[in-house]
């Protein structure tokens, strides 16, 4: 029998009600409860000499809870069971009653039989119990006819989870508990290992506090950005810039502006910033396994000067980054769970002394003895209502036992927060857990979502879920970042990465094209990732970051992101789909390498149209040799040198040799002066494409517009379409979607 979904409450009177001298008590109490239930929209669905049941519409749970928990409610004289599901009417239907039957009535009746007098047992499968909207205080199990029945006990004083939406905690920061941190000798490496949540970041913080007289740089992961970790660290050391020589000061300005820096110059810069006569400097690398390789290589190269020591934290079980393996290792500290006394002290301090002894030990066990686990366990319990810290004492509703990982406890908290908070923190996690407020707002704006207001940011900061340094926002731990990213549906995560790519592609900083390409890869947008990777490779080579440039060139040729991942640019992000289109099909053939096909002979020289067709075919298959042979044929012909220059320039661009491509294509455009407008259009368009790959958006736009004007002058419709498509791609990469749409419409 099926029917409408309803919430059923069964009220059972305890005692020998069959005796005439006691039956009136039941009748009066039942009448009082039913009258209030009827006024709240319920109908009577079952009646018995010692019990009755009412049903509320599924949306009226709040009315039922108010009926039961009101201060003057007669309902708590009964044993109450509540369940939800479909009920089918079987007769007696009118405005007041509708006798019915169904699984929720059976379950509610069974729970009422098991419940003690004044107790309300809820079916654990109720949605409000599963989502923790209703607060409970343990469970009760009883036997009926040889079968066990389990219900969870409603907390009648505090039945509802507070509708906060914001994460909230009432904990204080504890003193450091653990082994004494030490710094290694200058020029050497100290390694800190341990599982996530074991306090590695706090170990580094304590070391920095104890070595306060030393100039210190913190390196943290920066997703997608070559040299990004070092750039962010140097931005925090800008107050020391006045001590630098003018040439090094200019180099620092360049790095902060998003330019690259070769190893020798970066080594000189770091040594000059950190060296002091009275003490060597200190570089602390948190989550070193996620820091980009260029930043680590710069640190290792500079450390040879002996101007500073390096301490790096690596998660247990992950490989030490290759760059750090070349340093002399002074020591390795392995962090684990706190001792029994330490972890109890931690709970006591976090709760301002309100949890002690056995209670403190219980919460320590739930957090598996790990510092982050204990903090997450208490925060989760406070937000869920399992734990309440009052002025001088604590109230515990929880009956859960066992240990949980920090990830499990943080995931419980994330599920409880409002969609606005999850959206902001999820976007921050996709950006690598480190962003400017403006950058975060731009990302959310791409998705038509509002930026976080000050109320939200203050709440997140108070809950130790966001660290604020001016306008800079960072997540306090990589573990939280992973949990937030895991909580996103795969499609939503990809959408955020694509939006991040659009924001970064429009930035003025040269290396932002690298970060935009990485985000496009992680978002499965290969069509955008390939040109961004070629553009980024040019910027990397111009900045002296040759190995990372080669990794992006390899991706541009093959679509395989493995070398980009090896350069540490994915920072632990979900990268399973980085080399695939989101449609679950391989990239189109034009994006894939293919074997070199029959190569053209050297005679006779092809006509312009034939040459163009052959060049496009070679470009489509990634056949660089065929491109060069074709250009050589045209140059040998003696009459098509301008076309040869253009084809050689495009071949150099396809190989990622942006500087060489720009030289050849500028030469080609200059040689086209005085030629028909169609030739001048093609020369300008080719130069525009190369400028876009080099990250020079404004110059590329001017060349594209000139190419379009020359194509119109030549009445070259195909040329107009090609120029309009290029201008559309250029506008889209800069985040100007409206302009891109106009150009696409012109391209047909």
């Amino acid at each position: 029998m099926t029917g409408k979904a309803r919430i059923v409450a069964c009220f059972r009177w305890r005692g020998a009600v069959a005796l005439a001298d006691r039956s009136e008590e039941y009748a009066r109490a039942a009448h009082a409860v039913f009258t209030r239930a009827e006024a709240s929209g319920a109908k009577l669905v079952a009646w018995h000499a010692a019990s009755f049941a009412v049903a509320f519409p599924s949306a009226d749970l709040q009315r039922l809870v108010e009926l039961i928990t009101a201060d003057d409610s007669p309902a708590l004289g009964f044993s109450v069971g509540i369940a939800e599901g479909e009920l089918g009417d079987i007769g007696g239907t009118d405005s007041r009653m509708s006798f019915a039957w169904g699984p929720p009535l059976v379950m509610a009746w069974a729970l009422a039989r098991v419940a003690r007098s004044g107790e309300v047992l809820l079916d654990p499968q109720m949605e409000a119990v599963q989502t923790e909207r209703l607060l409970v205080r343990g469970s009760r199990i009883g036997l009926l006819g040889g079968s066990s029945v389990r219900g969870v006990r409603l907390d009648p004083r505090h039945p509802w989870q507070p509708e906060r939406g914001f994460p909230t905690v009432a904990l204080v920061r504890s003193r450091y508990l653990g082994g004494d941190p030490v710094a290694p000798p200058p020029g050497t490496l100290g390694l800190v290992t341990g599982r996530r949540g074991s306090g590695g970041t706090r170990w580094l913080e304590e070391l920095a506090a104890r070595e306060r007289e030393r100039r210190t740089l913190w390196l943290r992961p920066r997703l997608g950005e070559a040299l990004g970790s070092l750039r962010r660290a140097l931005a925090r050391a800008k107050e020391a810039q006045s001590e630098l020589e003018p040439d090094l000061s200019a180099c620092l300005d360049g790095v902060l502006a998003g330019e690259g820096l070769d190893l020798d110059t970066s080594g000189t810069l770091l040594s000059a910033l950190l060296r002091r006569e009275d003490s060597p400097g200190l570089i602390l690398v948190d989550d070193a396994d996620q820091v980009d390789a260029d930043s680590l290589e710069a640190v290792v190269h500079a450390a040879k000067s002996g101007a500073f020591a390096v301490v790096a934290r690596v998660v247990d079980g992950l490989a030490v980054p290759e760059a750090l393996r070349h340093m002399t290792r002074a020591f390795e500290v392995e962090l684990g769970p706190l001792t029994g006394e330490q972890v109890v002290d931690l709970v006591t301090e976090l709760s301002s002394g309100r949890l002690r002894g056995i209670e403190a030990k219980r919460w320590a066990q739930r957090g598996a003895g790990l510092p982050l686990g204990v903090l997450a366990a208490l925060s989760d319990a406070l937000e869920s209502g399992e734990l309440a810290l009052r002025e001088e004492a604590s109230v515990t509703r929880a009956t859960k036992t066992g240990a949980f990982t920090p990830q499990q406890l943080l995931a419980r908290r994330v599920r409880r927060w409002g969609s606005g908070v999850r959206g902001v923190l999820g976007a921050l996690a996709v950006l690598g857990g480190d962003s400017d407020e403006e950058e975060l707002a731009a990302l959310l704006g791409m998705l038509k979502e509002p930026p976080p207001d000050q109320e939200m940011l203050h709440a997140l900061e108070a809950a130790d879920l966001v660290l604020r340094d001016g306008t800079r926002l960072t997540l306090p731990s990589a573990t939280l970042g992973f949990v937030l990213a895991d909580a996103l549906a795969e499609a939503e995560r990809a959408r955020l990465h694509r939006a991040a790519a659009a924001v970064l592609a429009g930035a003025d900083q040269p290396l932002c094209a690298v970060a935009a390409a990485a985000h496009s890869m992680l978002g499965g947008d290969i069509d955008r990732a390939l040109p961004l990777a070629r553009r980024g490779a040019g910027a990397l080579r111009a900045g002296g970051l040759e190995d990372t440039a080669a990794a992006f060139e390899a991706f541009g040729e093959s679509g395989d992101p493995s070398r980009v991942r090896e350069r540490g640019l994915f920072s632990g992000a979900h990268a399973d789909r980085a080399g695939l289109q989101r449609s679950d099909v391989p990239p189109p053939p034009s994006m894939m390498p293919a074997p070199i096909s029959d190569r053209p002979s050297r005679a006779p020289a092809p006509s312009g149209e034939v040459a163009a067709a052959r060049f496009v075919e070679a470009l489509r298959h990634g056949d660089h040799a065929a491109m060069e042979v074709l250009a050589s044929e045209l140059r040998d012909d003696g009459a098509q040198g301008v076309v040869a220059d253009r084809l050689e320039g495009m071949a150099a661009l396809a190989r990622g040799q942006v500087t060489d491509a720009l030289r050849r294509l500028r030469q080609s455009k200059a040689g086209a002066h005085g030629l028909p407008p169609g030739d001048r259009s093609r020369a300008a368009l080719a130069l525009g494409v190369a400028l876009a790959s080099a990250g020079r958006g404004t110059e590329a736009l001017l060349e594209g517009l000139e190419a379009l004007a020359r194509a119109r002058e030549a009445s070259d419709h195909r040329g107009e379409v090609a120029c309009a498509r290029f201008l559309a791609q250029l506008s889209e990469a800069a985040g100007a979607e409206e302009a891109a749409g106009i150009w696409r419409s012109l391209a047909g």
Side-chain angles (χ1 to χ4, degrees):
M1 180 180 296
T2 60
K4 295 181 179 179
R6 284 179 275 185
I7 302 172
V8 179
C10 183
F11 299 83
R12 180 173 180 270
W13 191 256
R14 309 290 292 189
V17 298
L19 298 177
D21 60 345
R22 299 288 303 279
S23 59
E24 290 184 4
E25 294 179 23
Y26 164 66
R28 283 194 299 269
H31 181 267
V33 172
F34 175 64
T35 300
R36 292 197 183 191
E38 184 182 25
S40 299
K43 285 188 176 183
L44 183 69
V45 293
W47 182 269
H48 182 265
S51 63
F52 69 96
V54 297
F56 284 78
S58 57
D60 286 350
L61 176 62
Q62 185 168 351
R63 292 186 176 184
L64 171 57
V65 173
E66 289 173 352
L67 165 69
I68 293 172
T69 61
D71 290 339
D72 60 344
S73 173
L76 293 182
F78 291 82
S79 302
V80 184
I82 300 177
E84 67 180 342
E86 292 184 352
L87 278 183
D89 295 324
I90 59 176
T93 302
D94 61 26
S95 60
R96 302 185 65 194
M97 61 185 66
S98 176
F99 292 117
W101 187 90
L105 177 61
V106 175
M107 186 63 180
W109 171 81
L111 291 171
R113 288 286 305 271
V114 170
R116 294 178 180 177
S117 181
E119 195 171 65
V120 181
L121 291 185
L122 307 170
D123 180 1
Q125 300 305 312
M126 288 179 63
E127 181 183 3
V129 176
Q130 293 283 311
T131 59
E132 299 182 350
R133 284 179 58 213
L134 288 175
L135 297 180
V136 299
R137 300 190 66 167
S139 62
R140 184 171 301 286
I141 299 176
L143 292 175
L144 284 178
S147 298
S148 64
V149 177
R150 177 177 175 269
V152 291
R153 293 180 293 179
L154 180 70
D155 184 341
R157 294 184 59 190
H158 304 283
W160 293 106
Q161 170 70 250
E163 294 290 343
R164 286 185 281 254
F166 287 176
T168 58
V169 293
L171 302 174
V172 298
R173 184 176 174 87
S174 72
R175 62 186 169 89
Y176 174 73
L177 296 166
D180 291 337
V182 294
T188 66
L189 170 70
L191 199 62
V192 181
T193 65
R195 55 187 286 200
R196 294 201 183 281
S198 58
T201 300
R202 185 67 187 273
W203 195 98
L204 295 179
E205 291 174 349
E206 185 67 14
L207 175 61
R210 297 186 183 196
E211 302 285 348
R212 195 173 287 107
E213 74 284 354
R214 300 170 69 164
R215 187 164 284 168
T216 303
L217 280 183
W218 274 86
L219 264 67
R220 294 182 173 91
R222 171 66 177 168
L223 193 151
E225 187 179 339
L227 215 64
S229 294
L230 183 59
R231 181 170 72 85
R232 295 303 174 109
L234 291 172
R236 299 184 179 96
K238 192 168 173 60
E239 69 276 2
Q241 186 171 10
S242 60
E243 303 173 14
L244 298 175
E245 297 293 332
D247 57 338
L248 288 179
S249 180
C251 289
L252 177 58
D253 286 334
V255 173
L256 298 183
E259 299 175 1
L261 200 64
D262 62 83
L263 283 179
D264 288 338
T265 307
S266 63
T268 304
L269 175 61
L270 285 173
S271 297
L273 277 173
L274 293 173
R275 189 192 301 274
R276 282 181 169 176
E277 293 183 4
D278 55 340
S279 63
L282 188 61
I283 288 185
L284 305 176
V285 189
D286 204 6
D287 292 299
D289 47 282
Q290 299 172 43
V291 171
D292 66 278
D294 291 295
S295 292
L296 292 177
E297 288 165 2
V299 168
V300 171
H301 185 74
K304 297 174 183 176
S305 68
F308 57 86
V310 180
V311 182
R313 183 180 73 85
V314 178
V315 174
D316 194 23
L318 298 181
V320 176
E322 182 180 357
L324 296 180
R325 294 179 214 158
H326 297 292
M327 291 191 70
T328 300
R329 191 176 300 181
F331 63 77
E332 180 172 342
V333 175
E334 184 176 0
L335 302 178
L338 298 174
T339 66
E341 183 178 348
Q342 287 175 333
V343 74
V344 168
D345 286 346
L346 176 61
V347 173
T348 301
E349 291 195 18
L350 288 171
S351 63
S352 299
R354 286 167 287 187
L355 292 172
R356 296 178 178 273
I358 296 176
E359 276 295 296
K361 186 176 181 181
R362 174 185 180 184
W363 291 105
Q365 290 172 342
R366 180 179 283 201
L370 298 174
L372 181 60
V374 171
L375 177 62
L378 291 173
S379 300
D380 170 58
L382 286 167
E383 287 181 0
S384 69
E386 290 181 64
L387 176 67
L389 296 180
R390 305 287 166 76
E391 288 296 326
E392 299 296 336
S394 64
V395 177
T396 303
R397 298 185 179 91
T399 59
K400 294 179 181 177
T401 58
F404 297 86
T405 67
Q407 294 94 318
Q408 290 171 322
L409 294 163
L410 287 168
R412 280 169 51 90
R413 296 184 69 190
V414 170
R415 288 193 295 270
R416 193 178 298 116
W417 299 335
S419 58
V421 170
R422 290 200 307 272
V424 167
L425 290 178
L428 184 56
V430 165
L431 287 170
D434 183 0
S435 172
D436 291 310
E437 288 184 27
E438 183 179 352
E439 185 179 63
L440 179 62
L443 169 57
L444 293 169
M446 284 278 179
L447 303 175
K448 310 299 183 186
E449 298 290 341
D453 56 26
Q454 289 304 307
E455 180 189 7
M456 182 186 293
L457 290 177
H458 285 316
L460 294 174
E461 185 179 20
D464 288 329
L465 292 168
V466 166
L467 305 177
R468 299 178 74 183
D469 181 7
T471 61
R472 176 138 233 86
L473 304 174
T474 56
L475 295 174
S477 73
T479 305
L480 176 59
F482 290 137
V483 170
L484 289 165
D486 285 341
L488 294 169
E490 187 183 3
E492 177 65 13
R493 194 163 53 238
R495 196 166 71 106
L496 283 165
H497 278 299
R498 292 186 180 202
V503 170
L504 293 166
D508 293 333
Q509 298 174 347
L511 292 184
C512 278
V514 177
H519 279 287
S520 291
M521 293 180 208
L522 293 169
D525 190 355
I526 303 304
D527 288 342
R528 177 171 290 188
L530 287 168
L532 284 170
R534 288 189 284 269
R535 173 179 153 193
L540 288 162
R541 286 207 183 278
L545 305 176
E546 297 290 338
D547 289 345
T548 304
F552 275 85
E553 288 167 356
F555 172 77
E557 293 182 0
S558 67
D560 179 5
S562 59
R563 290 183 63 183
V564 176
R565 182 191 287 109
E566 289 168 4
R567 297 299 294 168
L569 293 178
F570 290 164
S571 296
H574 290 268
D576 295 341
R577 306 294 302 279
L580 300 174
Q581 290 284 59
R582 292 294 307 170
S583 57
D584 287 329
V585 298
S590 61
M591 301 297 174
M592 297 290 286
I596 296 175
S597 56
D598 295 335
R599 295 186 177 179
S601 62
R602 295 186 61 83
S607 66
E609 288 189 4
V610 171
R614 280 171 49 186
F615 183 83
V616 169
E617 186 67 17
L619 183 64
R620 177 177 295 128
H621 288 85
D623 192 346
H624 300 149
M627 297 179 201
E628 291 169 353
V629 169
L630 178 57
S632 178
E633 290 178 9
L634 293 171
R635 193 174 299 284
D636 289 346
D637 183 52
Q640 301 190 61
V642 171
V643 179
D645 282 338
R646 187 164 74 245
L647 296 188
E648 285 175 344
M650 296 302 291
L653 187 63
R655 292 192 299 271
Q657 299 169 345
V658 180
T659 302
D660 185 45
L662 286 172
R663 179 182 61 79
R664 293 176 182 274
L665 292 170
R666 283 198 174 98
Q667 182 176 315
S668 174
K669 185 185 177 188
H673 185 70
L675 293 180
D679 291 317
R680 295 165 68 185
S681 172
R682 287 185 282 276
L685 180 59
L687 179 56
V689 170
L691 288 166
S693 297
R696 302 178 184 178
T698 302
E699 296 175 70
L701 175 62
L702 293 175
E703 294 295 338
L705 292 172
E706 181 181 346
L708 178 62
R710 299 302 180 195
R712 287 176 173 173
E713 182 182 349
S715 300
D716 181 0
H717 177 68
R718 291 175 61 186
E720 285 187 51
V721 169
C723 292
R725 285 176 178 168
F726 169 66
L727 291 167
Q729 292 171 355
L730 202 61
S731 300
E732 186 177 12
E737 294 293 341
E738 184 176 352
I742 294 173
W743 288 120
R744 279 194 293 267
S745 66
L746 291 176

